Amino acid sequence: MFNEADPNEIENWACIMEAGTEYEIEMAKEHLADQDIPANILSKRDSALSLNVGETALVYLYVPNEYEEEAREILAQTEIDNKGEEE
């Protein structure tokens, strides 16, 4: 099922964000939830090796296709600095 680092094609869902940490994706998911946009996280992180860099550590954020444009706009308007704090 997860044979490469690229986002998976999931029927009726669009990948709108990828990051190297679950923390970044969780923040984005919570921000979208505040706007009543459903989202799910897909982590390809290799927990057996505790890796948090590279292709084995990518985490993806998906929204239903009908929310893709709105979700991308919301995330684009919300800038997050390197410390994970909203500006």
Side-chain angles (χ1 to χ4, degrees):
M1 181 175 186
F2 308 118
N3 52 6
E4 55 187 54
D6 294 332
N8 292 74
E9 295 274 334
I10 300 174
E11 188 174 340
N12 299 320
W13 289 80
C15 179
I16 61 164
M17 183 179 177
E18 68 179 56
T21 66
E22 291 178 17
Y23 176 74
E24 293 171 88
I25 297 294
E26 283 287 345
M27 282 184 52
K29 180 181 178 186
E30 290 301 317
H31 186 62
L32 292 176
D34 290 343
Q35 306 297 318
D36 296 321
I37 296 178
N40 280 315
I41 296 172
L42 172 65
S43 176
K44 292 188 178 183
R45 189 170 196 178
D46 188 343
S47 59
L49 299 175
S50 297
L51 296 174
N52 60 2
V53 294
E55 294 180 354
T56 58
L58 292 176
V59 184
Y60 302 92
L61 183 63
Y62 287 82
V63 297
N65 287 340
E66 61 267 20
Y67 292 97
E68 180 180 6
E69 186 176 328
E70 182 181 2
R72 286 186 187 277
E73 288 175 9
I74 289 169
L75 293 181
Q77 292 171 359
T78 306
E79 298 211 16
I80 299 177
D81 68 18
N82 291 335
K83 296 177 186 166
E85 299 172 359
E86 291 184 26
E87 292 185 344

